[in-house]
Amino acid sequence: MVEVFEVLRAWLAGLGLRKVAERAGVDRKTARRYVAAAEAAGLSRDAGVEALTDELVGVVVEAVRPARPNGHGASWELLLAHEEQISAWVKGGDGAEPLSIVKIEELLARQGCVVSYRTLHRFAVERCGFRPKRTTVRVADGEPGVECQVDFAQMGYLTDPETGRRRKVHALIFTAVVSRHMFVWLTYSQTLVAVIAGCEAAWRFFGGAFKVLIPDNLKPVVTDADAVNPTLNVGWLDYAQHVGFGTDPARIRSPQDKPRVERVVQYVRGNFWAGESFTDLADAQARVEAWCAQRAGMRIHGTTQARPAEAFAELEASCLLPAPEPYDVPVFKRVKVHRDFHVEVAKALYSVPEPYLGRQLDARADSELVKLYTTGRTGQVGPGRLVKTHPRQPPGGRSTDREDLPEEKTGYALRDLTKLIGVCAGHGENIGIYAERLLDDPLPWTRMRSVYRLQGLVRRYGPEPVENACARALDLDVVSVSKIASMLEKATEREQPVLPAAAGSGHNAQGGRFARDPKEYSGRGSVRLTLIPGGRVAGDGTDLEPTR
């Protein structure tokens, strides 16, 4: 209507059709059609501008643009006769693949229905269900300092100086919903450790934490995606509890749930990463943090028409949660209690009480402690009731609580010599002393089996006979469990042992080979021997000839 009004105004001013077309920015033939329609409606050239009423202009518009049934032309009417066939081609089915609009246009032309591509496309969208366009609305930003949208995006490749190979670089992008201020964390992986490291860096950058994070369905964050009740990773829940924020994951394949960060992905990839070269990941991270604070933070945002960094400092900085303490990233694992009363966590062993043998437990291991819990819901690793706490051990280490082991196996398992001797002393004083003598060795644990055999003799014969046998063996200074067993078997533990007589004693004693009668050592009949240097010895003191 503005176009028609401008043409008629210039024509009433006395200008020719060429000048009228130039002033209105239309073709001369179009200007002629407008003027002809106005004259047919009763407009004369000598009338003033006040004659150009809305009613007159409306009549001219209707005259130059003929009415169309339902707002469509003849081509649309032609397509209505083939609507059912076009719908079948668009939807496919019965083993047939959906066809493109180009192919449908070609098939219609074979049937004598020739229409333009644009008309066919509009018809297929509006009436045949081809890629229907849904309407959308803008969601309010919410309260300052509450929501932060998070998304992972691939940036490109970077040569790792440690390995010398090219590795894929991912960007974890944080975008404040109200101010649009952003932070980017670059990483080689998309693990829970990488996500938590990015969050820790983001809290340092922003000076605090947001109350709600809206991430994508990342595996380190969401274990089971669901639009209403998503299941979050237990490690992520532990970190969220440490910081104090909530998590509201976006729906699957629903970028409209986090549009603030979705649009930023292209901006980061095209404005920061493209065309740049970095020495390593640390260099790229330092430069992207400066880029977020200066370039991206100080630009005029197209939607808010404000600088994100300034808007964040004014509206959101004071509303954030306090910056959390450094987080010790734990290891979460479901483990089984084996027959040796231990579970394995990060290649180290930890003891568990006997009632939990053969059961599954949930383990949480940080750099200081390992905590074992009863299992949560079926299929989900989550803390239940605390069962045991141990100090964290290095790979190959072991932490065993003697209270977790059976009483009769504690000393053997822990090589507790003091306890082993104490158990023997409980059966009798001499048994305890004898056990201590058995273990009196540079490698005492190699003699523990002898003590266990001694305890077996106590169980077989009773404490009193073994006590007597040990007393007799100690009197004779005989330290051998086999001797104790022989005495008990022959029931000789109470008999006084007969010591062997001296050689040559007794009337009927048969003298030994070198035995001498005691009389030979008396003073009478003794022979005096004299030792002569360099010579022989003479019984009567006479010198003999020297020998060589």
Side-chain angles (χ1 to χ4, degrees), residues 63 78 93 114 147 160 235 256 295 299 337 353 410 415 426-427 443 460 493 508:
L78 188 60
V114 179
E147 296 182 10
D160 188 354
Q256 66 272 16
R295 179 66 179 272
R299 77 189 191 281
V337 184
T410 302
R415 293 185 174 181
H427 299 302
L443 302 175
R460 180 176 181 182
E493 68 275 3
N508 297 324

Side-chain angles (χ1 to χ4, degrees), residues 189-200:
S189 61
Q190 297 186 13
T191 61
L192 177 62
V193 175
V195 174
I196 292 178
C199 291
E200 293 284 282

Side-chain angles (χ1 to χ4, degrees), residues 204-252:
R204 292 192 297 268
F205 179 82
F206 290 121
F210 290 85
K211 298 179 179 64
V212 178
L213 289 189
I214 305 176
D216 203 349
N217 287 277
L218 310 171
K219 279 298 181 183
V221 176
V222 180
T223 303
D224 184 14
D226 186 84
V228 180
N229 295 313
T231 302
L232 302 181
N233 186 294
V234 64
W236 177 258
L237 282 176
D238 188 82
Y239 178 67
Q241 295 168 8
H242 169 77
V243 180
F245 62 80
T247 307
D248 183 20
R251 294 169 295 175
I252 298 178

Side-chain angles (χ1 to χ4, degrees), residues 252-437:
I252 298 178
R253 293 182 295 274
S254 299
Q256 66 272 16
D257 288 355
K258 46 183 179 57
R260 309 294 187 273
V261 72
E262 287 287 344
R263 186 64 184 88
V264 169
V265 169
Q266 304 174 21
Y267 177 64
V268 174
R269 187 183 292 128
N271 195 283
F272 167 72
W273 184 269
E276 299 288 344
S277 60
F278 309 98
T279 57
D280 54 16
L281 192 64
D283 174 50
Q285 183 61 42
R287 291 169 61 177
V288 75
E289 290 186 16
W291 179 83
C292 289
Q294 300 170 11
R295 179 66 179 272
M298 298 305 294
R299 77 189 191 281
I300 300 297
H301 195 276
T303 302
T304 63
Q305 291 300 306
R307 301 183 189 276
E310 295 177 353
F312 173 80
E314 179 182 354
L315 302 175
E316 297 193 282
S318 60
C319 302
L320 300 181
L321 297 173
E325 296 293 328
Y327 180 67
D328 186 2
V329 181
V331 175
F332 290 89
K333 184 180 181 182
R334 179 155 289 180
V335 295
K336 181 180 179 180
V337 184
H338 297 285
R339 294 191 304 168
D340 60 358
F341 300 88
H342 286 77
V343 298
E344 181 182 347
V345 179
K347 300 183 179 180
L349 300 178
Y350 302 91
S351 65
V352 178
E354 185 174 4
Y356 297 95
L357 288 181
R359 292 182 55 181
Q360 299 279 344
L361 297 178
D362 291 334
R364 181 191 186 277
D366 54 30
S367 61
E368 299 293 335
L369 296 176
V370 173
K371 296 182 179 181
L372 300 172
Y373 301 87
T374 56
T375 55
R377 294 182 298 174
T378 303
Q380 177 185 0
V381 178
R385 184 173 60 85
L386 181 63
V387 174
K388 199 72 181 179
T389 301
H390 287 278
R392 181 71 181 269
Q393 302 295 320
R398 185 175 72 171
S399 175
T400 303
D401 185 355
R402 64 173 57 252
E403 299 297 330
D404 296 337
L405 304 180
E407 183 68 22
E408 66 277 9
K409 297 182 179 180
T410 302
Y412 176 77
L414 301 180
R415 293 185 174 181
D416 191 345
L417 304 181
T418 304
K419 182 177 179 60
L420 193 59
I421 295 172
V423 172
C424 293
H427 299 302
E429 180 182 359
N430 291 312
I431 298 177
I433 298 175
Y434 204 79
E436 189 173 358
R437 291 287 304 277

